[in-house]
Amino acid sequence: MPKIRASNLSAHKALVRTQLLDAFEELLLAQSYEEVSIAAVAARAGVARNTVYNYASDKSELLTAAAQRHIGRLLLPLQQASQVQDPALRLRGMLEVAMSSFLDSPISPTVFKALMHHGTEADLDVAAQGSQELIPFLMEAIDDGVQAGAFRAFADGDFLFDLIAGVLVTAVENVLESPETGTQRISEAIDFVMGALRA
């Protein structure tokens, strides 16, 4: 029977899941997604290969879980940025927090690049579910900006969000392909969004 690595079973499962995702990300930094294997993840995490399958059925599930983990790490910084009173400054700050995560850590772009190149539509949908908690912060800043007269009103909030997401995704794709242009592209994308919203 496997040794419990924490004070209780729930904590043990959380610890092993973290170790598996850490191992997967470390391997992804060192080699291509195609080269990463479940056996290598297990060895790096210090668990039996069969243990991995208790947490993920294949490496694409590890990839989507890693993407969700990175999205989840944005929640606290976004909550902090959402405390700014001025809606335009608040929105800009939140966009900077979200976008800079692709520059601040080498693993975020690596995970999302692998997801975009190797993930299925279902993988992308699962990863995107983690971003659902982030959307209300952005939309509240936009709504407040409309009320304050800083932003122009749009008839359909969902369509507006899709437009903004399209600009930001394009910037991220550019950063993933050409990391040396990252800071400039992200700044330009945020400026574009802010300019499009301006009343």
Side-chain angles (χ1 to χ4, degrees):
M1 181 165 184
K3 182 181 178 189
I4 301 294
R5 298 180 177 188
S7 59
N8 59 54
L9 186 57
S10 177
H12 168 78
K13 286 182 177 182
L15 176 64
V16 171
R17 182 178 189 279
T18 297
Q19 290 172 328
L20 290 172
L21 290 177
D22 288 348
F24 174 76
E25 291 175 358
E26 289 165 9
L27 289 167
L28 201 56
L29 278 173
Q31 57 198 61
S32 71
Y33 176 76
E34 294 89 348
E35 295 172 315
V36 174
S37 68
I38 293 291
V41 171
R44 187 156 197 125
V47 300
R49 182 178 175 187
N50 287 342
T51 300
V52 179
Y53 294 108
N54 293 328
Y55 297 85
S57 62
D58 56 26
K59 69 180 180 180
S60 72
E61 281 191 21
L62 289 172
L63 180 59
T64 56
Q68 286 179 316
R69 180 164 79 158
H70 285 276
I71 292 169
R73 288 178 177 156
L74 293 176
L75 195 54
L76 181 59
L78 275 178
Q79 286 173 332
Q80 293 168 338
S82 74
Q83 302 305 307
V84 174
Q85 292 301 310
D86 180 277
L89 293 177
R90 185 186 338 153
L91 180 61
R92 179 177 286 279
M94 289 189 291
L95 293 175
E96 288 172 352
V97 164
M99 299 299 286
S100 67
S101 68
F102 290 94
L103 301 174
D104 295 342
S105 160
I107 191 58
S108 286
T110 304
V111 165
F112 285 97
K113 187 171 186 177
L115 185 65
M116 292 170 77
H117 288 277
H118 302 287
T120 64
E121 282 295 319
D123 294 334
L124 293 170
D125 288 344
V126 169
Q129 287 172 2
S131 67
Q132 296 304 308
E133 292 181 64
L134 311 179
I135 294 170
F137 292 108
L138 299 174
M139 296 312 291
E140 181 181 27
I142 292 169
D143 290 342
D144 289 351
V146 170
Q147 295 298 318
F151 299 148
R152 61 193 184 99
F154 286 78
D156 185 337
D158 290 338
F159 179 61
L160 172 61
F161 182 79
D162 289 344
L163 290 173
I164 293 170
V167 171
L168 300 180
V169 166
T170 300
V172 168
E173 289 172 345
N174 193 284
V175 170
L176 296 178
E177 294 303 322
S178 305
E180 68 280 0
T181 67
T183 302
Q184 178 185 349
R185 291 294 182 253
I186 286 174
S187 177
E188 289 171 345
I190 293 171
D191 288 346
F192 184 87
V193 168
M194 298 304 295
L197 289 171
R198 196 169 296 122

